[in-house]
């Protein structure tokens, strides 16, 4: 019985016996060098074919005669003779190789926000670690990697959307918009199996029709995916998997991929909105501009559905605003679910168990108070964390010796028929009982300080939706006001 040796993937051809001896019959001296040295010796023999037998033999043994100048290849071989102990040129199998660390890819980001909150958003983003964040018109710009995109969506309280720039170029016609979309690598982020929506906005653009520009951008995206993947995505204007924003200015076009999906102010807890809802990111902006210290008391005597106070509770407890909601980036091709879950798990470890100071809200409407309590429960907060009660702002006392008031009182059609019935008694209550408090009131009534007979320290221009407003800040110092 003959043993069968296992077959090898690499086959080596055996040399003939004649190749193991010199022409004169003496055994050939083995150097132990690999194929490189053998090929080098072969080249030397070919170059020495015109020499005598003794000189040729010396050349083949890599030793030059005393009365002859060796050839250039022979000189190089003599200066670096192969040695049996010399390591091979190929690294050993178990030798670790240095693997170059790939550079982390970063992307230009535009974080949009309500007008008037740009500087506050820039400060927030810098505090989150985006040190290059710079405020601009209706938002901030910065660069970050994909993990940073997820972090910005999870943690930003003031941003409306996190838009990632994927293309930018000068444009003159609608066909230039089509070409820009066509030459963008959309297949990296989504494909025909995703639904798509394209939105277009512009500032001072010379284009005749934004609707046609929107159509050309959509055509470019769909043609690109049909060329690279054989099919085009379906259009869904309600809940698309991928959402692209086209922005046009005087001479250029920019294409953004929306990583947020629904606007970031939609935290997922507010169903009861009241008569005059204020968006959650604007509420967070009011708290930021007011300078509220989360360790201090907070009151809203016109709390409505409780948006400002619930937002404040989440800030004080360290609850990330995006902890419960879905995001558009979760539906993209490059999404790393394990990394996303790890990011959220790490965020949950920093949530405080309870509030340090009282947060109190009042409203004259019992239905508004009931809605606020329901929102509080949906926000995952117990009834003791924020106290909502039916009460009159003109009469309610402060919950602590000092603190902050941040409120959105009625104005416009929400005002009583006689403004004097509201502003004068409320101003009296503030002057008499809120000494040492920081009072912050958002209103579209530019004459509100005069109606309250109070002088504001600061006025912040803001927009509540499309309504131009001011955030008036007053300091109720002791002895500053007289009846």
């Amino acid at each position: 019985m003959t043993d069968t040796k296992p077959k090898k993937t690499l086959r080596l051809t055996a040399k003939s016996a004649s190749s193991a001896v010199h022409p004169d019959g003496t055994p050939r001296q083995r150097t132990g060098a690999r194929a490189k040295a053998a090929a080098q010796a072969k080249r030397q023999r070919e170059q020495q074919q015109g020499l005598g037998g003794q000189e040729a033999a010396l050349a083949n043994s890599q030793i030059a005669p005393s009365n002859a100048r060796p050839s250039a290849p022979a000189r190089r071989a003599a200066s670096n003779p192969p040695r049996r102990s010399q390591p091979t040129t190929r690294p050993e199998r178990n030798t670790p190789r240095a693997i170059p660390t790939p550079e982390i890819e970063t992307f230009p980001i535009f974080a949009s926000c309500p007008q008037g909150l740009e500087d506050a958003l820039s400060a927030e983003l810098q505090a989150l670690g985006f040190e290059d964040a710079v405020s601009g018109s209706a938002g901030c710009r910065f660069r970050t990697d994909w993990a940073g995109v997820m972090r910005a969506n999870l943690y930003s309280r003031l941003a409306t959307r996190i838009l990632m720039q994927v293309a930018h170029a000068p444009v003159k016609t609608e066909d230039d918009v089509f070409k820009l979309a066509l030459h963008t690598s959309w297949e990296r982020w989504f494909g025909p199996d995703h639904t798509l929506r394209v939105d277009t906005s512009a500032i001072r653009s010379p284009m005749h029709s934004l609707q046609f520009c929107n159509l050309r951008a959509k055509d470019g995206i769909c043609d690109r995916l049909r060329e690279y993947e054989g099919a085009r995505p379906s259009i869904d204007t309600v809940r698309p998997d991928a959402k692209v924003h086209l922005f046009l200015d005087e001479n250029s076009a920019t294409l953004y991929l929306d990583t947020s999906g629904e606007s970031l102010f939609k935290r997922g807890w507010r169903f009861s909105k009241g008569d005059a809802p204020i968006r959650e990111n604007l509420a967070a902006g009011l708290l930021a501009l007011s300078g509220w210290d989360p360790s201090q008391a907070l009151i809203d005597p016109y709390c409505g559905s409780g948006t400002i106070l619930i937002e404040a509770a989440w800030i004080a407890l360290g609850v990330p605003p995006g902890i419960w909601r879905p995001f558009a980036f979760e539906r993209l091709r490059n999404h790393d679910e394990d990394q996303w879950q790890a990011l959220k798990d790490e965020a949950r470890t920093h949530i405080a168990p309870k509030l340090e100071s009282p947060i109190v809200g009042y409203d004259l409407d019992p239905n508004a108070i009931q809605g606020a309590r329901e929102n509080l429960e949906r926000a995952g907060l117990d009834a003791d964390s924020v106290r909502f009660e039916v009460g009159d702002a003109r009469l309610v006392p402060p919950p602590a010796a000092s603190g902050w008031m941040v409120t959105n009182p009625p104005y416009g059609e929400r005002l009583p028929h006689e403004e004097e019935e509201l502003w004068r008694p409320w101003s009296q209550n503030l002057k008499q009982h809120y000494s040492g408090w920081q009072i912050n009131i958002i209103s579209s009534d530019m004459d509100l300080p005069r109606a309250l007979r109070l002088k504001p320290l600061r006025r912040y221009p803001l927009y509540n939706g499309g309504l131009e407003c001011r955030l008036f800040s007053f300091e109720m110092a002791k002895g500053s006001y007289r009846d």
Side-chain angles (χ1 to χ4, degrees):
M1 183 175 180
T2 305
D3 293 337
T4 303
K5 294 184 179 179
K7 295 182 178 180
K8 296 181 179 179
T9 304
L10 177 63
R11 295 184 179 181
L12 300 177
T13 304
K15 296 181 180 180
S16 63
S18 61
S19 65
V21 296
H22 286 292
D24 59 0
T26 59
R28 184 183 301 275
Q29 184 178 0
R30 297 293 182 182
T31 64
R34 296 282 183 177
K36 181 178 179 181
Q40 187 180 52
K42 182 178 179 181
R43 288 194 300 270
Q44 294 172 21
R45 289 195 300 270
E46 293 173 351
Q47 292 176 2
Q48 298 299 327
Q49 288 179 356
L51 298 177
Q54 181 182 8
E55 186 175 349
L58 290 172
N60 287 335
S61 63
Q62 299 180 357
I63 301 176
S66 59
N67 61 349
R69 179 178 177 84
S71 64
R75 291 198 303 271
R76 288 195 296 269
S79 63
N80 295 289
R83 296 192 297 269
R84 188 176 299 276
S85 59
Q86 182 178 355
T88 62
T89 57
R90 187 185 306 171
E92 296 294 333
R93 179 173 297 178
N94 294 328
T95 302
R97 299 185 180 185
I99 301 176
T101 302
E103 293 186 5
I104 298 177
E105 185 178 11
T106 61
F107 308 95
I109 304 296
F110 180 72
S112 61
C113 70
Q115 285 184 273
L117 294 184
E118 295 91 345
D119 291 340
L121 174 60
S122 175
E124 178 195 53
L125 292 171
Q126 291 174 10
L128 290 174
F130 306 107
E131 297 179 356
D132 62 336
V134 178
S135 59
S137 176
C140 293
R141 297 188 180 276
F142 61 99
R143 291 190 71 93
T144 188
D145 58 10
W146 192 251
V149 170
M150 293 191 291
R151 289 184 63 252
N153 276 286
L154 176 63
Y155 283 103
S156 179
R157 302 183 190 277
L158 306 184
T160 302
R161 295 185 184 277
I162 303 298
L163 304 174
M164 183 179 71
Q165 180 179 317
V166 293
H168 176 81
V171 295
K172 293 182 178 179
T173 67
E174 290 83 355
D175 285 342
D176 293 336
V177 173
F178 170 80
K179 293 176 183 177
L180 179 63
L182 182 66
H183 296 138
T184 301
S185 301
W186 303 107
E187 64 277 4
R188 177 179 180 183
W189 310 103
F190 57 90
D193 53 331
H194 293 78
T195 56
L196 173 67
R197 172 174 172 169
V198 180
D199 289 335
T200 299
S201 60
I203 296 179
R204 296 183 296 274
S205 173
M207 299 294 181
H208 297 296
S209 171
L210 295 185
Q211 185 176 2
F212 187 51
C213 289
N214 190 82
L215 179 63
R216 295 302 282 157
K218 189 189 309 177
D219 289 343
I221 296 171
C222 292
D223 286 0
R224 169 84 183 198
L225 293 177
R226 182 165 49 195
E227 177 183 355
Y228 277 76
E229 303 199 4
R232 56 178 291 161
S234 300
I235 303 301
D236 185 346
T237 60
V238 180
R239 296 185 63 86
D241 296 321
K243 189 174 182 180
V244 174
H245 288 261
L246 167 66
F247 176 74
L248 300 167
D249 60 15
E250 299 98 321
N251 50 28
S252 68
T254 307
L255 288 167
Y256 295 98
L257 183 62
D258 185 353
T259 67
S260 301
E262 286 194 302
S263 298
L264 293 180
F265 62 78
K266 296 182 179 180
R267 318 289 202 218
W269 54 259
R270 191 176 74 168
F271 292 166
S272 300
K273 298 182 179 181
D275 293 334
I278 186 171
R279 290 177 175 175
E280 289 85 332
N281 60 341
L282 179 56
L286 299 180
L287 293 164
L289 294 176
S290 73
W292 174 59
D293 181 351
S295 66
Q296 299 296 311
L298 178 67
I299 186 174
D300 181 357
Y302 301 96
C303 68
S305 60
T307 304
I308 294 174
L309 299 184
I310 295 175
E311 194 69 26
W314 271 26
I315 292 172
L317 293 172
V319 180
I323 196 68
W324 284 352
R325 54 157 287 165
F327 294 95
F329 64 76
E330 297 179 72
R331 299 190 291 273
L332 298 179
R333 283 180 168 175
N334 67 322
H335 177 59
D336 186 338
E337 182 63 21
D338 291 338
Q339 185 182 24
W340 173 231
Q341 291 300 327
L343 184 62
K344 291 198 291 185
D345 290 343
E346 195 273 337
R348 290 187 180 98
T349 63
H350 299 288
I351 298 176
K354 61 180 182 179
L355 296 168
E356 297 181 25
S357 298
I359 297 179
V360 182
Y362 294 97
D363 200 283
L364 278 173
D365 184 359
N367 292 328
I369 293 298
Q370 181 60 32
R373 290 171 178 168
E374 292 172 357
N375 287 335
L376 184 70
E377 182 179 1
R378 280 188 289 266
L381 302 171
D382 57 49
D384 296 333
S385 58
V386 180
R387 193 171 84 242
F388 289 112
E389 297 181 1
V390 176
D392 190 335
R394 296 167 290 187
L395 303 174
V396 296
S402 62
W404 267 257
M405 177 186 292
V406 181
T407 189
N408 176 28
Y411 44 82
E413 295 181 357
R414 296 168 57 218
L415 272 176
H417 295 295
E418 296 294 335
E419 295 186 23
E420 292 292 326
E421 296 179 4
L422 175 64
W423 301 134
R424 289 288 299 274
W426 184 34
S427 177
Q428 290 289 89
N429 188 23
L430 294 177
K431 295 174 183 178
Q432 292 177 8
H433 301 108
Y434 285 81
S435 178
W437 277 69
Q438 306 293 323
I439 308 299
N440 298 268
I441 307 169
I442 183 173
S443 177
S444 65
D445 183 358
M446 305 303 167
D447 293 329
L448 178 65
R450 184 164 57 88
L452 292 173
R453 299 184 181 181
L454 298 174
K455 184 178 181 180
L457 293 177
R458 291 172 297 276
R459 302 168 185 249
Y460 296 101
L462 294 171
Y463 280 83
N464 184 4
L467 188 62
E468 184 179 2
C469 298
R470 294 291 185 274
L471 176 64
F472 299 103
S473 295
F474 309 90
E475 184 177 355
M476 308 302 292
K478 292 182 179 180
S480 297
Y481 297 99
R482 297 179 180 179
D483 296 341

